[in-house]
Amino acid sequence: MLHKLHRLTACLISLYILFHLLNHLTALAGIQAHIDYMRAYRVWYRFPPVETLLLACVLFQAGSGLYFVWARRGSRHGFFDHAQAYSGLYLVFFLLFHLSAVLYGRWEQGVDTNFYFAAAGLHLGNYFLFFMPYYFLSIVAYFTHIGCALRWLLQTRLGVHGSDRLAGGLMAAGALLSGLIIATFSGAWYPVAIPATYQFTGLVR
Ligand code: HEM
């Protein structure tokens, strides 16, 4: 039952993440493209019942995930088994930190948590030393976690080598996608000037 609910909430969160990562890719076309896309799809995920469900799913994922890591401690074997646990632990840390920062920025600091809110951590002072690996690993961990879950679910259909290749391929795709998004937010393709409103919002992102 707990496994089924973990999978179901993962699917709901993944629907959000699909559009979230597409949103970050739109930054390749410029900052305004990213802001316009976010404005348009916020209408869906900021609708209070939808956002409440999304945040509840994240909390449930984190809680049930921590329980699985604890319950299966000592019985994991091989690279992918461990990768699933470590990527899950990182996602718990990232999601709780990320969501607290976004909600704090929105409700307490009163800023629009848009492209600049995320990019500020990569541009101000030495904060990039924390935010670059922090964001990079978030997408890698997400793809790793999904890859390991699919490997386990599809093992009978794809065989051991096929499912290993699927998980490895998803991890590599996640690393590439993540590198592309972080490079874009860091100003690799065009200059990113952080507006004054985002320069005093502290370390939380
Ligand atoms: C480079 C990586 C990422 C960046 C720069 C980023 C940035 C952002 C920003 C700016 C927001 C605020 C959106 C708004 O104001 O409407 C946000 C919200 C959110 N992000 Fe991310 N994000 C990243 C990766 C991720 C990943 C990997 C996940 C999930 C595993 C995730 C999950 C969420 C969730 C659940 C929200 C809250 C939506 C809401 O209720 O308002 N993010 N992110």
Side-chain angles (χ1 to χ4, degrees):
M1 180 64 177
L2 202 57
H3 271 107
K4 275 194 182 146
L5 282 174
H6 189 77
R7 237 174 278 160
L8 176 71
T9 49
C11 290
L12 292 175
I13 298 171
S14 291
L15 194 63
Y16 171 81
I17 295 175
L18 177 72
F19 287 100
H20 196 45
L21 295 183
L22 274 175
N23 190 171
H24 296 332
L25 276 179
T26 61
L28 282 168
I31 298 172
Q32 199 52 47
H34 186 279
I35 290 175
D36 290 345
Y37 179 113
M38 187 173 269
R39 246 184 222 144
Y41 99 116
R42 266 180 184 165
V43 174
W44 297 99
Y45 69 82
R46 283 209 181 171
F47 178 52
V50 174
E51 191 169 28
T52 308
L53 178 69
L54 178 66
L55 297 178
C57 285
V58 169
L59 284 181
F60 180 79
Q61 272 289 302
S64 53
L66 286 175
Y67 168 76
F68 292 141
V69 170
W70 172 255
R72 288 199 55 205
R73 70 193 184 284
S75 64
R76 295 185 181 269
H77 303 289
F79 173 77
F80 290 110
D81 252 17
H82 285 96
Q84 185 165 26
Y86 286 119
S87 58
L89 284 173
Y90 184 78
L91 283 173
V92 171
F93 155 75
F94 173 78
L95 280 171
L96 296 183
F97 198 93
H98 189 51
L99 292 190
S100 315
V102 165
L103 297 179
Y104 182 78
R106 194 158 116 204
W107 292 335
E108 282 298 314
Q109 296 174 318
V111 293
D112 182 355
T113 47
N114 61 13
F115 177 93
Y116 291 114
F117 180 77
L122 297 164
H123 288 270
L124 302 179
N126 287 329
Y127 287 155
F128 73 93
L129 292 173
F130 171 79
F131 284 106
M132 215 175 248
Y134 164 78
Y135 280 134
F136 178 76
L137 289 177
S138 70
I139 300 174
V140 173
Y142 173 73
F143 275 79
T144 301
H145 207 64
I146 295 293
C148 292
L150 289 177
R151 169 183 173 270
W152 190 75
L153 287 170
L154 298 176
Q155 208 151 47
T156 37
R157 203 175 301 171
L158 299 179
V160 174
H161 293 302
S163 53
D164 280 1
R165 269 200 297 272
L166 173 71
L170 279 171
M171 286 173 76
L176 277 177
L177 176 67
S178 195
L180 188 60
I181 290 173
I182 307 304
T184 310
F185 274 72
S186 302
W189 326 119
Y190 46 77
V192 174
I194 305 298
T197 337
Y198 296 92
Q199 299 207 5
F200 304 99
T201 48
L203 188 77
V204 284
R205 286 291 175 277

